[in-house]
Amino acid sequence: MKRKLLSVLLCLSLAAGLAVGCGAADKDAKKEKSDTEDSGKKVKIGMTLYSLKNEYTVRLANAAEDEAEKLGIELTVYDGNYDASTQISQVETMIADGCDGIILNPQDAEACSPCVDKAVEAGIPIVGVNTRVKNDKLTSYVGSEDVKAGEMETQALLDKVGTDAKIVIIEGPMGQSAQIERREGIQNILDKNPGVEVLAEKTANWSRSEAMTVMETWLQAFDEIDGIIGENDEMALGAREAVKAANKDIPAVGVDGITDALDAVEDGNLVVSIFQNADGQARKAVQVLMDAVNGKDVDENYWIEFEEVNKDNVADFRERAQ
């Protein structure tokens, strides 16, 4: 009888121990899951864009926000207002706010270099997108090869106006990588066509209204202008507005494939626009940054190709531009 009682007590004791052990294990599992979920919810990133005053950068912001939402990331987007010092301050704010990663779309390739230094010093990965920064500490870069865009638009214009034409060039903000590299691409084609005369070139800071003013001045200064190269669509369209107001018809080309440019290509108001995939760039930048945040290896560069939009294929690009 005593042996039976002892056996029963041992069984009860073992069962209780197992119950406690299982309960503790279950509690630990729940805690681990909770910690993981909490960690996921706390992941937040910041994105500073050189400006939110043109359609292309707004597209970048919208695509990045959509991708961040899909990945369950908290994203804050900042407007750099075409000012490098503002972007440096914004990066400082992101660091102070505890951002896990930063996306940089710099206004100036050199002046925005401190953005990278500050992020690296804080141990935060920083990924460049769309425009370059001169700093070899950058975690990764996602963009399109702007030299190629300059070559493509210049060749398209010369195919239209000939290789003995007199042209003008409207540039982006001086010192920004897109301005520097697109101008390099333009020159690559001009060097192959020495008969082309560049009458004038000037920045219009990616602005449609500034380009219109610049073009109005040139129309008064030159008796003959055969073609216009705009380093982006906004400026090409602004130049065309000035041309039409003067009752003239001077062919123009641009870069980005914004909505108004697609309309202009279809209507014959622009010869071509070189489509730059904002959606692809922004989503890839968020994905690459998250890989870096999670300790995964990332490549130095990720390239999204430029594509020519012309009258024959413009319909194919409308959906992609949304």
Side-chain angles (χ1 to χ4, degrees), residues 131-144:
T131 55
R132 284 186 168 279
V133 61
K134 288 186 177 178
N135 194 310
D136 58 9
K137 299 175 189 174
L138 192 72
T139 304
S140 184
Y141 176 74
V142 179
S144 301

Side-chain angles (χ1 to χ4, degrees), residues 21 47 82 119 126 133 135 155 160 172 226-227 235 255 260 300:
M47 180 182 202
Y82 294 111
I126 179 167
V133 61
N135 194 310
Q155 188 60 60
K160 175 75 173 178
D226 299 313
M235 298 188 301
V255 178
D260 285 352
E300 182 180 353

Side-chain angles (χ1 to χ4, degrees), residues 9-70:
L9 289 173
L10 285 172
C11 288
L12 288 172
S13 175
L14 181 60
L18 287 171
V20 170
C22 290
D26 185 55
K27 190 180 291 184
D28 287 342
K30 286 180 180 177
K31 183 177 184 301
E32 185 178 344
K33 183 180 180 183
S34 176
D35 287 345
T36 302
E37 288 173 353
D38 287 346
S39 175
K41 289 177 183 176
K42 288 177 184 174
V43 172
K44 62 179 180 178
I45 63 176
M47 180 182 202
T48 173
L49 295 159
Y50 66 75
S51 171
L52 280 172
K53 295 177 178 63
N54 67 68
E55 183 181 328
Y56 190 81
T57 49
V58 170
R59 283 190 195 174
L60 282 173
N62 290 342
E65 287 172 341
D66 185 66
E67 187 66 18
E69 185 177 352
K70 286 181 179 178

Side-chain angles (χ1 to χ4, degrees), residues 263-280:
D263 293 340
V265 169
E266 189 168 42
D267 297 341
N269 194 32
L270 285 183
V271 178
V272 301
S273 173
I274 308 304
F275 181 79
Q276 184 173 201
N277 191 338
D279 186 86

Side-chain angles (χ1 to χ4, degrees), residues 1-307:
M1 184 70 178
K2 286 182 180 178
R3 287 182 181 176
K4 286 185 179 180
L5 181 59
L6 180 60
S7 177
V8 170
L9 289 173
L10 285 172
C11 288
L12 288 172
S13 175
L14 181 60
L18 287 171
V20 170
C22 290
D26 185 55
K27 190 180 291 184
D28 287 342
K30 286 180 180 177
K31 183 177 184 301
E32 185 178 344
K33 183 180 180 183
S34 176
D35 287 345
T36 302
E37 288 173 353
D38 287 346
S39 175
K41 289 177 183 176
K42 288 177 184 174
V43 172
K44 62 179 180 178
I45 63 176
M47 180 182 202
T48 173
L49 295 159
Y50 66 75
S51 171
L52 280 172
K53 295 177 178 63
N54 67 68
E55 183 181 328
Y56 190 81
T57 49
V58 170
R59 283 190 195 174
L60 282 173
N62 290 342
E65 287 172 341
D66 185 66
E67 187 66 18
E69 185 177 352
K70 286 181 179 178
L71 296 176
I73 306 162
E74 180 185 339
L75 168 64
T76 302
V77 177
Y78 296 81
D79 182 353
N81 200 29
Y82 294 111
D83 183 69
S85 61
T86 296
Q87 291 195 282
I88 293 169
S89 296
Q90 289 169 346
V91 167
E92 290 172 342
T93 298
M94 294 180 217
I95 294 169
D97 287 347
C99 278
D100 299 292
I102 296 169
I103 296 175
L104 173 65
N105 169 231
Q107 161 65 13
D108 187 284
E110 292 186 359
C112 286
S113 182
C115 293
V116 180
D117 293 332
K118 289 178 182 295
V120 172
E121 286 167 10
I124 299 172
I126 179 167
V127 171
V129 66
N130 179 249
T131 55
R132 284 186 168 279
V133 61
K134 288 186 177 178
N135 194 310
D136 58 9
K137 299 175 189 174
L138 192 72
T139 304
S140 184
Y141 176 74
V142 179
S144 301
E145 296 181 279
D146 283 300
V147 172
K148 184 66 175 175
E151 291 174 345
M152 291 171 71
E153 65 169 341
T154 304
Q155 188 60 60
L157 181 68
L158 297 189
D159 288 346
K160 175 75 173 178
V161 302
T163 56
D164 58 353
K166 298 177 180 180
I167 67 169
V168 293
I169 303 170
I170 309 178
E171 298 196 67
M174 305 307 289
Q176 192 178 96
S177 67
Q179 172 267 319
I180 295 169
E181 294 177 17
R182 288 179 194 176
R183 185 61 184 84
E184 181 184 340
I186 292 167
Q187 194 60 46
N188 288 345
I189 300 302
L190 294 179
D191 287 344
K192 296 177 182 179
N193 297 277
V196 177
E197 181 182 355
V198 178
L199 298 172
E201 52 188 303
K202 187 174 181 179
T203 182
N205 296 303
W206 303 137
S207 166
R208 192 178 304 199
S209 60
E210 285 189 44
M212 185 174 181
T213 300
V214 168
M215 195 67 211
E216 287 170 346
T217 301
W218 287 342
L219 288 169
Q220 293 173 2
F222 303 109
D223 293 330
E224 181 184 357
I225 300 174
D226 299 313
I228 303 162
I229 296 176
E231 286 185 349
N232 81 339
D233 287 335
E234 294 282 2
M235 298 188 301
L237 291 167
R240 282 290 298 171
E241 287 178 24
V243 167
K244 288 187 288 184
N247 293 315
K248 295 188 176 185
D249 187 12
I250 302 172
V253 293
V255 178
D256 282 340
I258 64 172
T259 304
D260 285 352
L262 298 184
D263 293 340
V265 169
E266 189 168 42
D267 297 341
N269 194 32
L270 285 183
V271 178
V272 301
S273 173
I274 308 304
F275 181 79
Q276 184 173 201
N277 191 338
D279 186 86
Q281 288 182 1
R283 291 182 190 278
K284 188 65 175 179
V286 172
Q287 294 163 7
V288 171
L289 181 60
M290 285 310 300
D291 282 345
V293 167
N294 290 323
K296 297 179 182 178
D297 291 334
V298 297
D299 293 341
E300 182 180 353
N301 297 301
Y302 294 87
W303 299 114
I304 311 295
E305 288 189 3
F306 280 108
E307 300 170 76

